[in-house]
Amino acid sequence: MNQSIAQMLKSPGVHLSCEIFPPKEFGRIEEVKEVAGEIAALRPAYISVTYGAGGTTPHFTRELSKSVQTQGIPALSHLTCINDTRSRISGVLEDLREEGITNVLALRGDIPPGTGFPGEDHFHYASELTQAIRERGGFCIGGACYPEGHPQAPSRDADLDGLRRKVDAGAEFLTTQMFFDNAILYQFLYRALQKGIDVPVTAGIMPVVNAKQIKRITALSGASLPPRFAAIVDRFGGNPDCMREAGIAYATEQIIDLIANGVHNIHLYTMNKPQIARAIFGNLGSILGSLA
Ligand code: FAD
């Protein structure tokens, strides 16, 4: 189970992975474990488990990651650092290692509004966390990247310089923020390579099946909506069944285009909805099999 995700992503074939998130209250963890079980039954390459914003619930992420691994699927545990001290982060990593969870997505996390950077007893950037994990040893480390630039970066070029630092610090693979226009990803991959960033990049796809999600998602992620997708939301957003079908079709088409253009590592933001993940895996059945 301790397979390195970076090594997996470099191996031949298409690797389709999924993301789940823990519940807000620990009392509901069993419900999300069931979701994890349904998604694990699709046999994704791995399942990533997010870390609660604010960083106060590492045990939620650990518990779900453990549950994923008991289903025979590698877990990728997210870990944010900005809202916690270095010594507490060290404790979180120790706990993960004790549970046999050795793939970690090292993230900065978001700085709470109205507060500035914390003191020197905190890591300030994901690259600092990455370096500390690398020095500790025993983990395969991933990082986040942003095809349209991180919203706080002064420019896309400066963001890529930060990304290069993260890779130099030890990030062995990257997962992208969601994007709705594949051309943006292709440009990003080209520009990243020009900066010498040559680790595997997993393309993050979010099936949008509900018009209400759109505003929140685009505000949070900074992802832009191409006119083709905006037209779909405009036309079908008022009808939940139609929007669901159109959203699944759009995400499926994005994935098929990625695979056709040689992008073989794809991460599905499932929003804890196994039925949507199932529909997309079903749509891709022969395509995934033909490239295995
Ligand atoms: P960093 O890589 O540290 O970058 C943050 C900003 O600092 C960027 O603008 C970058 O350009 C800049 N920068 C980097 N290095 C330097 C430097 N040395 N000097 C100056 N500027 C620098 N959030 C959660 O709370 N929980 C999660 O589970 C979670 N999962 C995520 C998964 C993915 C795939 C993605 C894309 C995001 C996720 N996030 C999550 C959100 C993430 O925490 C935020 O986007 C956060 O604002 C940035 O995190 P980062 O790791 O990319 O930071």
Side-chain angles (χ1 to χ4, degrees), residues 19 49-54 78-80 105-110 124-127 143-146 150-154 158-159 162-163 165-166 175-177 269:
E19 178 182 285
V49 184
T50 66
Y51 202 73
H78 294 204
L79 171 60
T80 66
L105 193 73
L107 298 149
R108 186 193 70 179
D110 286 312
H124 286 176
Y125 294 107
S127 54
C145 64
Y146 303 81
H150 182 266
Q152 288 153 8
D159 199 35
L163 189 59
R165 276 195 287 273
K166 193 152 57 178
T175 307
T176 77
Q177 181 58 282
Y269 292 111

Side-chain angles (χ1 to χ4, degrees), residues 149-268:
H150 182 266
Q152 288 153 8
S155 67
R156 287 189 192 186
D157 204 53
D159 199 35
L160 279 172
D161 289 335
L163 189 59
R164 174 68 202 257
R165 276 195 287 273
K166 193 152 57 178
V167 170
D168 288 346
E172 298 166 72
F173 68 96
L174 300 168
T175 307
T176 77
Q177 181 58 282
M178 68 191 73
F179 58 89
F180 298 99
D181 179 350
N182 288 359
I184 290 173
L185 181 86
Y186 300 137
Q187 284 157 18
F188 168 77
L189 292 176
Y190 178 72
R191 293 178 63 219
L193 261 183
Q194 281 185 317
K195 290 272 184 193
I197 298 167
D198 59 0
V199 295
V201 176
T202 296
I205 296 294
M206 164 77 87
V208 177
V209 294
N210 164 346
K212 277 197 215 139
Q213 276 174 294
I214 292 281
K215 267 198 188 145
R216 203 170 51 86
I217 286 171
T218 48
L220 281 176
S221 67
S224 55
L225 281 190
R228 203 165 75 82
F229 190 64
I232 288 175
V233 179
D234 202 39
R235 178 71 180 80
F236 301 115
N239 182 324
D241 288 342
C242 295
M243 188 60 224
R244 184 175 173 282
E245 280 170 21
I248 289 170
Y250 190 89
T252 303
E253 223 182 284
Q254 259 194 295
I255 294 172
I256 291 172
D257 179 74
L258 289 170
I259 296 173
N261 283 287
V263 176
H264 286 178
N265 298 320
I266 295 159
H267 195 56
L268 208 54

Side-chain angles (χ1 to χ4, degrees), residues 104-152:
V104 172
L105 193 73
L107 298 149
R108 186 193 70 179
D110 286 312
I111 303 168
T115 66
F117 270 106
E120 281 307 310
D121 56 343
H122 290 231
F123 297 107
H124 286 176
Y125 294 107
S127 54
E128 295 174 0
L129 171 64
T130 300
Q131 180 152 351
I133 303 175
R134 179 164 74 175
E135 284 165 7
R136 185 183 193 100
F139 287 95
C140 167
I141 314 164
C145 64
Y146 303 81
E148 298 184 64
H150 182 266
Q152 288 153 8

